[in-house]
Amino acid sequence: MLLPTVPRTRVRAAARPVMDTPFGAVAFTTTIGDTALPPLPDELFALPGGRTVARWRHRAARVELLLTPYDPELDPEVWGPLTDCLAAVWRIDAGSPPGRVTFSAGLPARLPDGADAGWDGGQGLAAVTVEHDTTRLTLGGPDEEGICHAAATTAAAPRRWAGLIGEVYRNSCTTWGVDFADHHGMTWTLPPLEAGDHCELPVVAAWTSVEDETENTWYAVGSSSTVLLRQVVDSCMR
């Protein structure tokens, strides 16, 4: 369960949970086996500071999605200021083996005319960057190496996934991994989950002036679910 100690109020789910950006809404989709979870969650909770946690229930799993403002705490002596930064943490708790699980985060299929979108990953980060006129935006989360590292060093994924790092280095992870499709977002296909497993994936969107040359948006989106959740708890419990 995400953020069990943070106060929350149940509210009516009237719209699909999204992150609003200058290039449109980042929408999220979860598929468990052959079932795509509906856009509207079964439950929605309001947290302090304009944050929300959405919850879906499936016969094999529970899925939650936290949406929150995020401060990546970039050093102002190194990085230019961000215009804004938003984050999500997706979590699945498997009650029984759920089969193939995918999670996607993506901008609209149609971007503004002239927008340039491309892959921008590396160093454990799966990311795309979009530039147009005055704005540059980067959307990022863990790549395959990042997933294995999280499994080895945190409680964000099953520990046995750490042993899959050899598949990543051999480029042989054919049944799981990250797909960038049209470079408007990413889809994660998870390694197999067993009963009692859980997995957390962070997604961060950061944007700034296109004239900024410090690559601040790229460094802003390389956070972990552990850091994101800790920042939320610290902010909400003050």
Side-chain angles (χ1 to χ4, degrees):
M1 180 179 179
L2 287 172
L3 303 170
T5 64
V6 173
R8 64 190 64 202
T9 302
R10 184 167 180 172
V11 296
R12 184 172 68 91
R16 179 179 195 166
V18 299
M19 293 194 302
D20 290 319
T21 81
F23 291 103
V26 175
F28 305 93
T29 303
T30 301
T31 300
I32 301 174
D34 296 328
T35 302
L37 300 187
L40 285 182
D42 298 311
E43 298 175 283
L44 182 66
F45 300 92
L47 279 59
R51 302 171 176 89
T52 60
V53 171
R55 181 179 295 158
W56 291 260
R57 297 188 182 277
H58 180 273
R59 63 184 179 276
R62 178 181 65 195
V63 171
E64 294 179 306
L65 179 69
L66 165 71
L67 300 182
T68 179
Y70 175 52
D71 179 5
E73 301 179 347
L74 299 179
D75 185 344
E77 295 186 3
V78 178
W79 312 107
L82 294 171
T83 304
D84 208 351
C85 189
L86 300 174
V89 176
W90 174 89
R91 175 171 173 134
I92 183 168
D93 287 270
S96 59
R100 184 174 184 264
V101 174
T102 65
F103 167 63
S104 66
L107 292 160
R110 182 174 178 81
L111 297 174
D113 291 342
D116 180 26
W119 177 84
D120 199 14
Q123 301 180 31
L125 179 67
V128 295
T129 292
V130 184
E131 293 188 7
H132 180 252
D133 291 345
T134 62
T135 302
R136 180 179 74 249
L137 177 147
T138 302
L139 179 70
D143 65 6
E144 294 87 351
E145 183 179 6
I147 289 171
C148 292
H149 178 73
T153 59
T154 74
R159 183 57 60 94
R160 66 181 180 280
W161 289 4
L164 300 175
I165 192 66
E167 295 184 9
V168 178
Y169 293 151
R170 293 191 302 270
N171 294 318
S172 60
C173 45
T174 58
T175 60
W176 67 281
V178 187
D179 181 9
F180 291 88
D182 55 7
H183 297 148
H184 291 194
M186 293 147 285
T187 296
W188 290 265
T189 301
L190 300 186
L193 287 162
E194 298 177 359
D197 284 344
H198 75 268
C199 174
E200 294 171 355
L201 287 176
V203 181
V204 181
W207 59 95
T208 191
S209 168
V210 75
E211 297 179 359
D212 190 299
E213 297 181 355
T214 66
E215 299 185 5
N216 53 352
T217 59
W218 192 88
Y219 281 90
V221 303
S223 185
S224 67
S225 63
T226 302
V227 170
L228 289 169
L229 294 173
R230 183 185 304 123
Q231 188 177 107
V232 172
V233 171
D234 290 347
S235 177
C236 291
M237 303 303 283
R238 287 181 185 140

